[in-house]
Amino acid sequence: MSTSPAPRTRPLRADAERNRQRLIAAAQELFATRGIDVTLDDVARHAGVGVGTVYRRFANRDELIEVVLVGAVRRLADHAEKALANPDPWDGFEEFFVAATRDFAENRGLRELVLERHRGTADAFVDVRNGFQPATTTLIGRAQEAGELRDDLEPVDFPLIQLMLGAVTHHTRDVAPELWQRYVTLMLDGLRTRRDAPTPFAAPAITDAQFDRALT
Amino acid sequence: MSTSPAPRTRPLRADAERNRQRLIAAAQELFATRGIDVTLDDVARHAGVGVGTVYRRFANRDELIEVVLVGAVRRLADHAEKALANPDPWDGFEEFFVAATRDFAENRGLRELVLERHRGTADAFVDVRNGFQPATTTLIGRAQEAGELRDDLEPVDFPLIQLMLGAVTHHTRDVAPELWQRYVTLMLDGLRTRRDAPTPFAAPAITDAQFDRALT
DNA sequence: ACTAAGCGGAGATATGTCCTCCATTTTGTT
DNA sequence: AACAAAATGGAGGACATATCTCCGCTTAGT
């Protein structure tokens, strides 16, 4: 366990600050594409700085994760707030559901952090998560009271459903990064109370060749 | 890369054969619970034999996987055949779909091998898989022609859907191994062409406490 | 021009898997 | 019961990979 850099009194020197930003940008990209388990050596190389610089600036991976991903978590919360403003209960629910699925599809690190919690999560995240839980619960409740969303669902079902959708992206990101759009439709059709016909898919199925390439 | 043990001419000595069976049994259990990436050292310890014995008996992990899991793959094929005998197209489809989901839920190694192909797959599996593909295609086609299964689905969608259901078990196996039964219902309701009301869930949601314990 | 801050990246440390080797034990045959 | 062939176990070497420190050198800022 490394010790945290002492709380700073003076601001960073210009070059140091520049390198810090480079590191954050590199981490942002690598966390999103390869997940939060990338090595810090990788992050350093990707940022074009030495490893020493990473460890001088961030106590450990968790600290870097926090700096890089709080924004993404907060964006999830924003989706929920925005969806609450939608006057139609089902549309509001669907709006949030799809937005969340997209965010998880586009950011593997976010998925791992919020849905799978691969690494010990810093307190900062617990706060943010608790912060937007009421909004999602309301979105769900409203849609259920309106009779549109099946009412035997509970809030805890939703992270698990997102986990399911995330699995598609996890395994097909390289061949069809938009494939989640197909299965999110399927899922929503399952979540509805009743329905006369299938909602058309927003994305085509992958080909058999793509499937073969995906599973490796 | 190790070389395969020379093709045997004589049968194994009694003690050798006994140890071989022990190894297979141990591997069966470990592959099912911990996946096909368990170390052969682990398998040996679990079987109560030395590591040397594993490597003497099996050229590499793939050979052991093959011996242990062909049976499980063949069982999948059997489910498909059996479901074809069901006179109702939708019931037949559902019967197979649920049986496959159960098998994948109960055997992590099978999931990894058939759905995620974590390791290079031996030819034996390709044969078995190709062997039961026609049956599943027929099951799907029948249900679509009967107007029960949404007809914009393609066969390649189903392994991906199974992947999604598998993700639930993957993350909650320790707290609620039967949870897949809840989401398989949801999924089937999404797959149907039309529906007046939700099909009741076969399993309750997990509690928040269980959810917290699951994500670690 | 001088000093404090910062830098890079080689390499020490730790962990973990794979697989071999051989002194010893067990089996099966005569 | 004696013997040869077969089989055993598990220590340990080879290899891979990640984490994090250290220090001689560079650079920013006054």
Side-chain angles (χ1 to χ4, degrees):
Chain A
M1 189 60 55
S2 54
T3 63
S4 179
R8 299 202 65 80
T9 139
R10 260 177 295 192
L12 285 175
R13 224 171 68 176
D15 54 344
E17 181 59 33
R18 191 182 344 116
N19 283 336
R20 205 183 99 97
Q21 294 307 327
R22 278 190 193 161
L23 281 168
I24 291 173
Q28 208 138 34
E29 182 181 329
L30 289 184
F31 286 165
T33 57
R34 295 202 236 148
I36 59 189
D37 283 332
V38 286
T39 70
L40 294 195
D41 288 48
D42 255 355
V43 174
R45 196 170 329 122
H46 206 260
V49 307
V51 231
T53 303
V54 192
Y55 289 97
R56 204 171 308 112
R57 228 34 88 206
F58 303 94
N60 47 53
R61 194 203 264 76
D62 277 4
E63 193 178 309
L64 183 55
I65 290 175
E66 187 170 328
V67 172
V68 167
L69 288 179
V70 260
V73 178
R74 199 168 296 126
R75 207 167 317 127
L76 280 180
D78 292 345
H79 290 322
E81 294 296 342
K82 181 145 173 290
L84 273 178
N86 193 317
D88 182 273
W90 172 266
D91 287 349
F93 166 78
E94 177 173 328
E95 176 188 331
F96 172 64
F97 189 83
V98 173
T101 308
R102 161 169 281 118
D103 280 10
F104 288 130
E106 290 174 352
N107 194 334
R108 174 169 168 182
L110 182 68
R111 211 161 63 219
E112 289 175 344
L113 189 80
V114 177
L115 262 18
E116 312 170 15
R117 218 193 258 131
H118 266 171
R119 300 200 154 251
T121 306
D123 292 343
F125 288 115
V126 181
D127 293 349
V128 183
R129 279 208 302 156
N130 292 348
F132 78 95
Q133 198 168 332
T136 57
T137 305
T138 305
L139 279 169
I140 294 164
R142 280 199 326 179
Q144 286 176 325
E145 275 161 36
E148 294 275 10
L149 179 66
R150 53 184 298 164
D151 62 5
D152 47 3
L153 287 164
E154 302 185 20
V156 76
D157 283 315
F158 291 88
L160 288 166
I161 291 169
Q162 287 295 339
L163 206 59
M164 292 171 65
L165 289 163
V168 173
T169 304
H170 182 74
H171 289 280
T172 61
R173 70 202 112 98
D174 294 333
V175 302
E178 302 295 308
L179 191 59
W180 62 271
Q181 295 191 24
R182 185 171 175 89
Y183 301 110
V184 82
T185 302
L186 202 58
M187 204 67 239
L188 283 165
D189 274 3
L191 292 170
R192 287 193 133 94
T193 303
R194 41 169 287 109
R195 164 173 64 78
D196 293 328
T199 308
F201 287 135
I206 54 175
T207 64
D208 287 350
Q210 282 178 311
F211 180 79
D212 282 341
R213 269 202 298 137
L215 306 192
T216 309
Chain B
M1 191 59 56
S2 54
T3 63
S4 178
R8 299 203 66 79
T9 140
R10 260 177 295 191
L12 285 175
R13 226 170 67 175
D15 54 344
E17 182 56 34
R18 190 184 342 115
N19 283 337
R20 204 183 100 98
Q21 294 306 327
R22 278 189 193 161
L23 280 168
I24 292 173
Q28 206 137 34
E29 183 181 330
L30 289 184
F31 286 164
T33 56
R34 294 201 239 148
I36 58 186
D37 283 333
V38 286
T39 69
L40 295 195
D41 289 50
D42 256 354
V43 174
R45 196 170 329 121
H46 206 260
V49 307
V51 231
T53 304
V54 192
Y55 290 97
R56 205 171 308 110
R57 227 33 88 207
F58 303 94
N60 48 52
R61 200 215 296 328
D62 277 4
E63 192 179 308
L64 182 55
I65 290 175
E66 187 170 328
V67 171
V68 167
L69 288 179
V70 260
V73 178
R74 199 167 296 127
R75 206 168 318 126
L76 280 179
D78 291 345
H79 290 321
E81 294 295 342
K82 180 145 172 291
L84 273 178
N86 194 316
D88 182 274
W90 173 264
D91 288 349
F93 166 77
E94 177 173 328
E95 175 188 331
F96 173 64
F97 190 83
V98 173
T101 309
R102 160 168 281 118
D103 279 9
F104 288 130
E106 291 173 352
N107 194 333
R108 174 169 167 182
L110 181 68
R111 211 160 64 220
E112 289 176 344
L113 189 81
V114 177
L115 261 19
E116 311 171 14
R117 218 194 257 131
H118 267 172
R119 301 200 154 253
T121 307
D123 292 344
F125 288 114
V126 181
D127 293 349
V128 182
R129 280 208 302 157
N130 292 350
F132 79 95
Q133 197 167 333
T136 57
T137 305
T138 304
L139 279 168
I140 293 162
R142 279 200 326 179
Q144 286 177 324
E145 275 161 37
E148 294 274 11
L149 179 65
R150 52 185 297 163
D151 62 5
D152 47 3
L153 288 164
E154 301 183 22
V156 76
D157 283 313
F158 291 88
L160 288 166
I161 291 169
Q162 287 296 337
L163 207 57
M164 293 171 64
L165 290 163
V168 172
T169 303
H170 183 74
H171 290 281
T172 61
R173 71 202 113 96
D174 294 334
V175 302
E178 302 295 309
L179 191 59
W180 62 271
Q181 295 192 24
R182 185 170 174 88
Y183 301 110
V184 81
T185 302
L186 202 58
M187 204 67 239
L188 284 165
D189 273 3
L191 292 170
R192 287 193 134 94
T193 303
R194 43 169 289 108
R195 163 173 65 78
D196 292 328
T199 308
F201 287 134
I206 54 175
T207 64
D208 287 350
Q210 282 178 311
F211 179 78
D212 282 341
R213 270 202 296 136
L215 305 192
T216 309

